[in-house]
Amino acid sequence: MQEIINKSNRIVFFGGAGVSTESGIPDFRSETGLYSQKFDYPAELILSHDFFTENTSYFYGFYRSKCLLLEAKPNAAHYKLAELEKAGRLSAVVTQNIDGLHYKAGSKKVYELHGSVYRNYCTKCGKKYDPYAIVNSADIPYCECGGIIKPDVVLFGESLSDNTIKGALAAISRADTMIVAGTSLNVYPAAGMLDYFRGGKLVLINKTSTPFDNKADLVINAKIGEVLAQIKVK
Ligand code: CNA
């Protein structure tokens, strides 16, 4: 891994929820993930566009307690990626996460495929809000114009931003090394983006196996924070 990084100048890091579990944010598919916890409805249903429209109040109860974890701090993985970017080794982070931890760690070029809990807007007038508009509302958060304030996160059944996809694919197609970490690679179109990588080495870091293991040059089954903490940035 260290040798691959030493030879790379345009690394793209492609990450999922597993990148943030060491910051205390549960992922979807681990044993302690949201899919293993019992709610009144399956978590993937609650986080869908139709559910948001039909059960808005329940959605916000869930979203506030399970997704809006604003106290979470970046871990060793987030910090090392910011360091690699600063040193000119990494060109972009592409993330499926909505927790904003890459920016908190100091990364500059981050493509947040599924949006961010830090951006929120009124569905009627478009006014922007910080996440405390949702934290501090007891039930459904409303704008002063009467519209519902919605987080700028991509729910199941919604489309990803065209600009974000374009930027991410451009970075991936120019990358000389791709590090894929902490994602079960089950959620599309995000997982399909890996096909745009035409560069040198593909490194996969995940606690468990993934459908892409056989495509990787190096598979590391360990904790991302612990693996990246050992990397020396030259
Ligand atoms: P997932 O399907 O839950 O997969 C996570 C993967 O990471 C699993 O294969 C785990 O084995 C692995 N993993 C967990 N912790 C570690 C660790 N410390 N080291 C190494 N591997 C680890 O999550 P995906 O990201 O693949 O699924 C995409 C969804 C999850 C996206 O839509 C995200 O928006 C959504 N999500 C995001 C967050 C967040 O923003 N932090 C949290 C929960 C879910």
Side-chain angles (χ1 to χ4, degrees):
M1 174 89 175
Q2 182 72 56
E3 205 180 307
I4 294 176
I5 286 179
N6 291 348
K7 288 181 184 159
S8 308
N9 301 306
R10 291 185 312 282
I11 300 170
V12 167
F13 180 89
F14 182 95
V19 175
S20 296
T21 54
E22 288 164 79
S23 294
I25 302 182
D27 63 6
F28 277 171
R29 293 178 179 80
S30 289
E31 287 155 26
T32 49
L34 292 180
Y35 287 179
S36 310
Q37 300 175 31
K38 282 266 167 285
F39 306 108
D40 298 331
Y41 308 91
E44 60 267 53
L45 178 66
I46 302 171
L47 293 170
S48 71
H49 178 79
D50 288 351
F51 193 92
F52 173 81
T53 311
E54 288 153 21
N55 290 284
T56 315
S57 177
Y58 191 96
F59 170 89
Y60 276 108
F62 181 90
Y63 179 79
R64 245 181 243 109
S65 65
K66 299 294 169 186
C67 304
L68 256 188
L69 304 171
L70 302 178
E71 303 302 318
K73 293 192 173 53
N75 63 52
H78 299 101
Y79 285 120
K80 188 65 69 169
L81 294 166
E83 202 184 332
L84 283 164
E85 182 184 24
K86 208 168 173 208
R89 299 245 163 242
L90 179 140
S91 53
V93 168
V94 179
T95 182
Q96 298 167 80
N97 295 347
I98 57 171
D99 55 36
L101 290 183
H102 288 293
Y103 282 126
K104 271 194 193 168
S107 282
K108 303 280 181 239
K109 201 82 188 146
V110 185
Y111 294 102
E112 293 175 313
L113 297 177
H114 296 155
S116 170
V117 298
Y118 285 94
R119 295 188 299 269
N120 304 275
Y121 64 95
C122 169
T123 48
K124 202 166 156 198
C125 72
K127 183 175 175 195
K128 291 182 178 151
Y129 283 91
D130 71 23
Y132 295 98
I134 297 180
V135 172
N136 296 331
S137 67
D139 195 355
I140 300 172
Y142 286 104
C143 176
E144 54 211 16
C145 80
I148 294 175
I149 301 171
K150 185 177 184 289
D152 187 9
V153 302
V154 180
L155 300 174
F156 288 106
E158 295 179 340
S159 10
L160 280 62
S161 135
D162 276 347
N163 278 344
T164 310
I165 294 182
K166 268 189 210 146
L169 291 183
I172 291 170
S173 55
R174 284 198 296 262
D176 54 7
T177 292
M178 183 136 168
I179 304 174
V180 177
T183 169
S184 59
L185 295 167
N186 269 302
V187 175
Y188 280 79
M193 290 188 161
L194 266 56
D195 295 337
Y196 287 76
F197 176 58
R198 304 258 176 270
K201 303 281 186 206
L202 176 63
V203 180
L204 250 168
I205 312 171
N206 210 70
K207 278 199 299 200
T208 51
S209 62
T210 76
F212 283 70
D213 283 7
N214 58 353
K215 292 193 181 166
D217 297 287
L218 175 64
V219 177
I220 304 173
N221 290 131
K223 283 184 161 185
I224 303 154
E226 292 175 10
V227 173
L228 290 190
Q230 289 166 31
I231 297 296
K232 295 199 171 41
V233 182
K234 293 179 187 166

